[in-house]
Amino acid sequence: MSLGANSKTRAAIFDRNLNKTKNSQVSLSAWSFMFSEMIQYTQKRVNGIGDLERRLNTIGYRVGMRVAELLAWRNEGSSKAPKREIRLRDTLLFVHTQVWKAVFGKPADAVEKSVEKDDEYMIIDNDPIITKYISIPKEMSQLNCSAITAGIVEAVLDGLGFPARVTAHSVPTDAFPQRTTILIKLDRSVIEREDALK
Amino acid sequence: MAVLGLWVINKAGGLVYQRNFSDGLAPLTQNEFLVLAGTLHGIHAITSRLSPAGNSSGAQVIEGESFKMSIFLTATGTKFVLLTTLADNTADLLLPKIYEAYADTVMKNPFHTPEMPIRSEGFDTRMTALLGPPTK
């Protein structure tokens, strides 16, 4: 009996075409319940908000590794001359549009460069759907469950050769009370390489 | 024609959420609300056994002289009680929407412990949007 097969007639999950679920969607309610359980599970095993965000980041990292590979295969896998992003701006735009579309179904709302620091960039989502039903209690107001999104972005950037530290922060406005910023702090080596390439 | 108050009672009979919307109700202390909710829970249980025709879900509407109480019993034993003026007929439309908001903002919230008092900003926002701003 091959691994992953339920019976002789059903194909093993590993033999399925990778493009089969390209446009399929997951129920938001199903995701919300599973994410809620992931947070509760993690909360029991950590001490402190920073640790909780780090664990969520790790979970997101594991998702991001697979997203990066899958996107690369789906976008360039069949082309004669596959290419990948090597410049910072193109990479950030790739994350802002392609990764967001693949994971959340729509591109992110904005990508910005920080004015004070030259190694910080921000991707802004006005209403992140993965945390739509979560209400953070007042005593944990520094926690942002979009840490999982930060982990996904960190893994994609790592995979493309742009190591960074990525965190999530909430920046509510009147129009968008759930507005979240994914703050990307790039490694020094990336900035130096970009300057050398200019 | 107004919604006067909303109570959410858990399956053990404890009050988990209470909010007043207009000035039609006499002001009560927290403790009095807890006692009333427990009493209602008991009465609801009794009425579910009183039916001569067999299967009964328990009282659904209780009418007084100046108010009407509509009770929505969910499959899990949670009760949503909407207090309205006598002329108000919107309770049947509002209660399923309140249940939906509860399922979304309370059940999917990882920081909510089931059967405990509801302290969720998401639920408060949805109730304000659906029923109006609360009064103290």
Side-chain angles (χ1 to χ4, degrees):
Chain A
M1 164 107 93
S2 62
L3 212 60
N6 281 338
S7 69
K8 272 193 272 215
T9 49
R10 292 253 293 275
I13 191 171
F14 304 112
D15 296 330
R16 248 174 30 176
N17 187 342
L18 275 175
N19 271 333
K20 184 173 179 186
T21 51
K22 184 171 178 177
N23 293 321
S24 58
Q25 294 183 319
V26 174
S27 146
L28 180 58
S29 297
W31 163 257
S32 301
F33 281 116
M34 192 172 80
F35 192 34
S36 161
E37 187 52 39
M38 277 156 66
I39 295 178
Q40 289 177 53
Y41 178 94
T42 317
Q43 227 183 345
K44 279 195 267 238
R45 289 161 172 77
V46 295
N47 38 338
I49 292 179
D51 210 4
L52 178 58
E53 283 204 359
R54 237 186 321 273
R55 295 253 188 150
L56 290 176
N57 195 308
T58 309
I59 294 173
Y61 195 91
R62 293 179 176 144
V63 174
M65 287 194 312
R66 291 158 173 82
V67 168
E69 287 291 344
L70 195 58
L71 278 183
W73 186 83
R74 281 186 178 156
N75 290 344
E76 302 290 331
S78 50
S79 94
K80 292 275 184 242
K83 50 179 184 56
R84 65 181 170 92
E85 319 297 341
I86 51 173
R87 300 305 304 275
L88 182 57
R89 299 208 75 212
D90 298 324
T91 309
L92 288 171
L93 275 166
F94 170 75
V95 171
H96 166 278
T97 8
Q98 299 289 342
V99 174
W100 240 255
K101 258 210 321 240
V103 179
F104 303 118
K106 61 169 182 67
D109 292 299
V111 53
E112 290 174 9
K113 179 173 157 55
S114 157
V115 273
E116 302 111 37
K117 307 207 177 86
D118 61 345
D119 58 351
E120 279 186 4
Y121 287 80
M122 297 165 288
I123 296 186
I124 298 176
D125 198 338
N126 283 335
D127 195 8
I129 52 169
I130 56 166
T131 55
K132 187 164 173 184
Y133 300 120
I134 298 181
S135 306
I136 313 249
K138 301 235 177 358
E139 57 268 15
M140 303 176 89
S141 55
Q142 305 146 295
L143 172 68
N144 194 321
C145 294
S146 288
I148 194 175
T149 313
I152 297 177
V153 172
E154 189 169 335
V156 173
L157 287 174
D158 263 352
L160 288 171
F162 294 85
R165 246 202 353 252
V166 187
T167 49
H169 304 272
S170 59
V171 285
T173 62
D174 284 330
F176 301 111
Q178 300 295 327
R179 199 157 174 260
T180 309
T181 297
I182 308 292
L183 186 64
I184 303 169
K185 194 170 171 58
L186 293 153
D187 226 27
R188 262 293 112 195
S189 57
V190 176
I191 307 294
E192 283 160 15
R193 190 180 68 206
E194 275 299 302
D195 287 336
L197 280 172
K198 272 210 197 84
Chain B
M1 268 293 294
V3 173
L4 300 169
L6 169 69
W7 299 351
V8 182
I9 304 175
N10 67 16
K11 61 166 157 281
L15 183 68
V16 295
Y17 188 78
Q18 168 268 324
R19 198 184 241 205
N20 293 335
F21 291 101
S22 308
D23 289 325
L25 298 172
L28 296 173
T29 65
Q30 260 312 99
N31 209 31
E32 286 169 338
F33 277 120
L34 285 169
V35 170
L36 279 179
T39 313
L40 181 62
H41 172 84
I43 292 174
H44 189 271
I46 293 172
T47 54
S48 72
R49 302 294 183 100
L50 277 179
S51 164
N55 263 350
S56 171
S57 68
Q60 286 178 327
V61 178
I62 299 177
E63 278 189 14
E65 274 188 359
S66 55
F67 75 98
K68 182 161 62 174
M69 194 185 263
S70 308
I71 305 172
F72 181 73
L73 176 70
T74 69
T76 51
T78 310
K79 278 183 273 305
F80 292 91
V81 182
L82 199 62
L83 299 139
T84 59
T85 54
L86 275 176
D88 201 308
N89 284 330
T90 56
D92 287 331
L93 295 166
L94 287 172
L95 280 167
K97 291 201 188 128
I98 295 172
Y99 186 28
E100 196 185 319
Y102 172 82
D104 280 343
T105 52
V106 177
M107 290 286 99
K108 292 174 189 167
N109 186 11
F111 302 105
H112 173 257
T113 321
E115 309 301 314
M116 288 277 108
I118 298 174
R119 298 245 174 284
S120 159
E121 209 185 301
F123 190 59
D124 288 333
T125 317
R126 289 282 279 263
M127 291 299 100
T128 309
L130 197 58
L131 302 167
T135 54
K136 263 295 128 199

